[in-house]
Amino acid sequence: MKRYFIHTFGCQMNVNDTNRMSEVLAGLQYQPTPVAEDADLIILNTCSIREKAEDKIYSALGRYRQVKTQRGALIGVGGCVAQQEKDKILKKVPYVDFVFGPDNISKLPEILDKVLIGRARVVETAWVDSEEYVFPRADPESSRGRVTEFVTVMKGCDNVCAFCVVPHTRGREVSRAFPEVLLEVAALARVGVREVTLIGQNVNSYRGGLGFDQLLLRVAEVPGVERVRFTTSHPHDLSDALIEAFRVQPKIASHFQLPVQSGSDAVLKRMRRDYTVQEYLERLAKLRAARPDIAITTDIIVGFPGETEEDFERTMQLTEAVRYDNQYSFVYSSRPKTSSALREQEWGEIPHEVKVERLDRLQKLQKKIAAEINALHRGHPVEVLVEGRSKTDPAKRFGRNPQNKVVNFDGDAPIGAVVEVQIDRTSVGALYGVQGRTLLAPTIEISEAPLAPELCAVA
Ligand code: 5AD
Ligand code: SF4
């Protein structure tokens, strides 16, 4: 039997795609190996969101070259860099055998035939028509033993943010029909999953036969489901209906990842984000009124072309005003084919040292705020869905509270239970405490032992 190794970069969409690749390869009698050096087939599932992400892929390819020399392993490049660079990858890296985009995962058998039998180097990056796109159905058995799982509800993105490569790498929005989503969630619940995260590049513009708010409400009603999450959203789709869903359905977990990108209206306009800071704050105030304990997290880009010190100060002020539970902040990176890449000269590039210094200031402020927010939990109980042994200390258990914060605790609650944990210590990134009363028993027994070794690396 031949063995494969997949190195996954980037977001949850890519992790999901890796699972789909694994399913296709299993059908071809390939077996996974956790060690790249033992593989007959190495696939890099790539991310191109920022330049650094892309650099990582070329350095990983350099490392895998040896496996090719030593045992003749095939090397394939999939994911977002593949979609963006196409045959350029074959030209740049002579030992890559094939390149395939996210819409072409089901073509892996034909691609491998062409490479192995036809001795050809192959590029497959055509889009599948929206009407013809079929969302692959995940095998629920592969989720047995997990209490949290991701469910794809849409793919692609129709927004026009000036900095973003995603519309070029993931194509137009396509939503998955809601009955299919509900069937998948029900199948997951039957194997013990209690928390589902609905994923897509732009989930709240979902159009699969129901509004996104209605989809969330229907998923929350699936027997066995205790928590529903979703990611990622655009502020212009944070509708009153979605806010209402938070008000009426407590199973929609108290966390909203709402990327703002900048605290300056001038920068937002150049980014083509179609909202002002004031509008964003008004939406947020409404959401917080509907769900007062909601955790808000965001994405920020620092050093977008033309960002003045004053613009950046506005981002600092917004950070203080919102008091985010967490921020994912990045320095602006020029991406091929994006509209901002074409206008950097005109708007004015920000020197690298200035970007890095601003990022550092912002991250220091955010860390202080996150530590302060987490400290408010000290001396109080939080509700935790138990996921397993703590990653930092195997003697402890770990899970998350509704706000999506990691909680490490002393106790013996079974995986899949919902328990109260009395918090006695907090840090910027986690809460620590002692198990209290059990709120819900697990739906099925889940083994403590890891089910399988990590089969692919995620960067
Ligand atoms: N440069 C820096 N950060 C970017 N992001 C997207 N494109 C870029 C870019 N060109 C960030 C945004 C987005 C997150 C996923 O990545 O903040 O929300
Ligand atoms: Fe990276 Fe975006 Fe592609 Fe995800 S969709 S892998 S974040 S470029």
Side-chain angles (χ1 to χ4, degrees):
M1 211 184 219
K2 288 187 174 171
R3 283 176 294 221
Y4 72 88
F5 176 83
I6 306 179
H7 191 155
T8 311
F9 299 81
C11 66
Q12 195 55 46
M13 300 300 289
N14 263 18
V15 175
N16 253 32
D17 285 352
T18 290
N19 293 340
R20 289 164 52 200
M21 290 178 201
S22 303
E23 283 168 21
V24 176
L25 292 173
L28 298 175
Q29 310 303 317
Y30 273 85
Q31 193 183 319
T33 167
V35 188
E37 285 69 26
D38 292 343
D40 304 294
L41 168 64
I42 296 174
I43 294 179
L44 284 84
N45 191 7
T46 61
C47 170
S48 60
I49 194 87
R50 286 171 289 273
E51 208 173 339
K52 258 195 195 158
E54 205 172 321
D55 292 347
K56 277 196 214 161
I57 284 131
Y58 288 103
S59 66
L61 272 172
R63 291 199 302 277
Y64 296 138
R65 179 184 199 165
Q66 258 197 338
V67 191
K68 174 149 205 132
T69 328
Q70 282 163 5
R71 43 180 298 134
L74 294 184
I75 300 186
V77 178
C80 293
V81 178
Q83 189 62 43
Q84 184 187 285
E85 298 287 290
K86 305 182 173 65
D87 55 334
K88 279 193 219 142
I89 298 180
L90 296 189
K91 289 196 189 111
K92 257 195 225 169
V93 192
Y95 50 90
V96 166
D97 297 288
F98 61 97
V99 173
F100 63 113
D103 266 15
N104 295 279
I105 294 172
S106 60
K107 287 202 188 134
L108 265 176
E110 293 151 58
I111 297 174
L112 286 170
D113 266 357
K114 283 187 197 157
V115 174
L116 284 166
I117 301 167
R119 307 231 158 255
R121 295 176 86 202
V122 181
V123 179
E124 284 283 1
T125 50
W127 297 114
V128 173
D129 264 359
S130 302
E131 295 75 36
E132 282 166 29
Y133 188 85
V134 181
F135 283 87
R137 231 173 257 162
D139 175 9
E141 278 310 311
S142 63
S143 301
R144 194 178 283 280
R146 296 176 56 85
V147 279
T148 66
E149 199 48 281
F150 294 89
V151 174
T152 307
V153 298
M154 55 90 66
K155 66 153 209 134
C157 181
D158 287 352
N159 289 324
V160 288
C161 306
F163 50 80
C164 192
V165 80
V166 170
H168 308 284
T169 63
R170 293 279 173 167
R172 305 288 302 198
E173 286 175 9
V174 187
S175 294
R176 193 173 181 190
F178 78 90
E180 245 192 75
V181 174
L182 294 175
L183 280 175
E184 186 161 316
V185 172
L188 291 172
R190 279 196 293 276
V191 297
V193 170
R194 302 196 99 173
E195 177 182 299
V196 290
T197 304
L198 308 184
I199 58 168
Q201 270 95 16
N202 196 18
V203 277
N204 52 6
S205 68
Y206 175 80
R207 282 179 198 89
L210 289 176
F212 186 61
D213 56 304
Q214 292 301 315
L215 180 72
L216 281 175
L217 294 171
R218 294 284 288 271
V219 169
E221 280 165 11
V222 172
V225 169
E226 288 305 321
R227 285 181 184 171
V228 190
R229 302 185 186 280
F230 56 91
T231 194
T232 275
S233 312
H234 191 294
H236 71 187
D237 290 318
L238 173 48
S239 64
D240 284 345
L242 185 53
I243 292 174
E244 182 61 13
F246 271 92
R247 204 179 57 75
V248 299
Q249 179 48 273
K251 287 186 179 179
I252 303 175
S254 288
H255 171 217
F256 210 119
Q257 157 69 7
L258 197 58
V260 68
Q261 311 296 0
S262 170
S264 152
D265 285 344
V267 173
L268 287 174
K269 197 159 181 211
R270 284 200 298 279
M271 287 179 165
R272 304 177 72 178
R273 291 290 285 181
D274 79 2
Y275 53 84
T276 62
V277 173
Q278 187 56 32
E279 283 160 358
Y280 176 88
L281 288 172
E282 280 166 15
R283 293 276 86 201
L284 215 54
K286 236 178 167 175
L287 180 63
R288 279 179 160 158
R291 184 64 74 78
D293 72 349
I294 198 160
I296 307 291
T297 58
T298 200
D299 291 349
I300 303 268
I301 297 177
V302 164
F304 187 76
E307 183 190 72
T308 61
E309 182 58 29
E310 208 184 355
D311 290 322
F312 174 68
E313 273 306 325
R314 295 211 161 101
T315 299
M316 295 284 277
Q317 282 156 17
L318 178 69
T319 300
E320 297 252 26
V322 173
R323 291 188 66 77
Y324 289 104
D325 289 76
N326 197 5
Q327 270 185 357
Y328 304 92
S329 47
F330 315 96
V331 295
Y332 170 77
S333 144
S334 179
R335 305 314 292 131
K337 294 193 197 151
T338 57
S339 57
S340 62
L342 301 172
R343 301 186 68 180
E344 278 157 17
Q345 305 280 316
E346 179 191 336
W347 291 337
E349 277 181 75
I350 308 301
H352 186 68
E353 319 75 72
V354 176
K355 284 192 219 168
V356 171
E357 188 275 330
R358 286 181 187 166
L359 185 70
D360 185 53
R361 255 192 287 161
L362 180 65
Q363 291 185 338
K364 281 197 178 111
L365 171 63
Q366 177 51 41
K367 270 191 180 163
K368 179 176 129 327
I369 294 170
E372 285 167 4
I373 293 177
N374 287 351
L376 297 174
H377 286 292
R378 264 182 236 160
H380 299 285
V382 298
E383 189 192 297
V384 176
L385 172 62
V386 184
E387 290 182 42
R389 288 201 191 101
S390 160
K391 297 204 168 93
T392 44
D393 176 359
K396 291 186 193 289
R397 331 224 94 209
F398 115 96
R400 282 166 212 271
N401 69 353
Q403 287 77 11
N404 210 24
K405 296 195 178 160
V406 169
V407 183
N408 295 296
F409 61 96
D410 295 312
D412 57 3
I415 297 175
V418 178
V419 297
E420 256 183 16
V421 172
Q422 183 72 16
I423 300 302
D424 50 32
R425 189 163 71 81
T426 59
S427 67
V428 175
L431 313 178
Y432 303 83
V434 180
Q435 184 183 318
R437 65 195 174 112
T438 298
L439 302 172
L440 285 174
T443 43
I444 64 169
E445 194 177 320
I446 294 177
S447 136
E448 281 281 326
L451 290 170
E454 284 289 328
L455 293 178
C456 59
V458 180

